[in-house]
């Protein structure tokens, strides 16, 4: 805390100012340190908490079938992609038991788009000896609805990966605390 505010009051103020935990985790060092009582040491602690949370969720995904723990997948993706200021395309590569082998940010883009190359995705899937994959990307706009280009990309990736016997299980769109699953919407 700081003089006149307890640590709990300061935490509530941070959550309100940044709009939630996801946005707080995504805050820049300058924005975070601009809050009275916050500095570089507290920012480093925040990043450490975020990293430990992501590692814990990733371990949970590696221990069991990702399809049987959709909440863990969503939580992991929210931490990894929520609040990002540019589009990021991520893949969760999985073994035959649907346990996560690796999580990789494959492509980075601008505020409203990113270029994804199916050839590169296939190369990474083969490099990990993956049997299946879950894709995710964020919409910095905050709208968790798939565009036509999102659907076309998913179809192209599914077709390319089917040639090397890698199943596309899902594609998630992450936006400001919301996560949309193509599989749940019947789009995959």
């Amino acid at each position: 805390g700081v003089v006149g505010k307890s640590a709990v009051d300061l935490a509530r103020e941070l959550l309100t100012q940044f709009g939630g935990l996801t946005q707080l985790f995504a805050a820049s060092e300058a924005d975070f340190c601009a809050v009275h009582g916050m500095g570089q040491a507290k920012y480093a602690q925040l990043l450490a908490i975020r990293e430990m949370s992501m590692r814990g969720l990733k371990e949970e995904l590696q221990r069991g079938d990702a399809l049987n723990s959709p909440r863990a997948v969503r939580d992991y993706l929210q931490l990894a992609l929520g609040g990002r200021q540019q589009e990021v395309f991520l893949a969760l590569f999985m073994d035959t038991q649907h346990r996560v082998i690796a999580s990789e940010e494959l492509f980075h883009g601008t505020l409203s788009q990113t270029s994804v190359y199916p050839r590169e995705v296939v190369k990474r899937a083969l490099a990990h000896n993956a049997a299946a994959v879950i894709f995710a990307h964020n919409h910095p706009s905050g709208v968790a609805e798939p565009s036509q280009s999102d659907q076309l990309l998913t179809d192209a990736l599914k077709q390319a990966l089917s040639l090397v016997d890698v199943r596309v299980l899902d594609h998630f769109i992450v936006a400001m605390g919301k996560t949309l699953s193509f599989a749940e919407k019947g789009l995959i």
Side-chain angles (χ1 to χ4, degrees):
V2 294
V3 175
K5 281 187 196 167
S6 71
V8 172
D9 291 336
L10 191 54
R12 284 189 186 118
E13 183 180 310
L14 283 168
L15 290 172
T16 300
Q17 182 171 338
F18 287 97
L21 196 54
T22 300
Q23 291 81 4
L24 178 61
F25 279 144
S28 70
E29 182 176 359
D31 289 342
F32 183 83
C33 292
V35 176
H36 177 68
M38 298 294 107
Q40 290 179 327
K42 293 290 182 206
Y43 186 71
Q45 288 175 335
L46 178 71
L47 293 181
I49 291 167
R50 179 180 179 271
E51 183 64 25
M52 287 188 297
S53 298
M54 284 183 59
R55 287 182 187 199
L57 289 168
K58 190 174 179 182
E59 283 178 11
E60 186 177 331
L61 293 176
Q62 289 171 327
R63 279 194 305 268
D65 183 338
L67 297 180
N68 287 332
S69 55
R71 180 81 254 149
V73 172
R74 280 186 156 83
D75 290 346
Y76 177 80
L77 294 173
Q78 272 296 330
L79 273 175
L81 299 175
R84 302 283 282 270
Q85 298 303 305
Q86 80 279 356
E87 277 202 18
V88 177
F89 186 86
L90 177 143
L92 296 174
F93 298 103
M94 291 173 279
D95 65 15
T96 57
Q97 303 300 311
H98 298 154
R99 291 179 303 231
V100 174
I101 299 167
S103 171
E104 284 189 30
E105 289 183 9
L106 298 175
F107 304 100
H108 295 84
T110 64
L111 178 64
S112 60
Q113 69 178 13
T114 188
S115 296
V116 177
Y117 302 98
R119 173 185 162 96
E120 297 304 315
V121 175
V122 170
K123 283 171 53 177
R124 295 308 303 148
L126 292 173
H128 289 294
N129 199 28
V133 65
I134 292 176
F135 296 119
H137 76 280
N138 64 321
H139 281 180
S141 66
V143 178
E145 287 298 319
S147 66
Q148 184 173 356
S149 61
D150 292 337
Q151 184 64 53
L152 291 172
L153 171 64
T154 304
D155 293 343
L157 290 169
K158 191 173 169 184
Q159 185 176 33
L161 287 163
S162 72
L163 296 172
V164 292
D165 295 323
V166 177
R167 288 186 54 217
V168 176
L169 301 176
D170 208 342
H171 184 161
F172 287 91
I173 296 176
V174 178
M176 297 292 183
K178 296 172 260 177
T179 308
L180 177 131
S181 161
F182 277 48
E184 288 175 2
K185 289 279 190 181
L187 300 172
I188 204 160

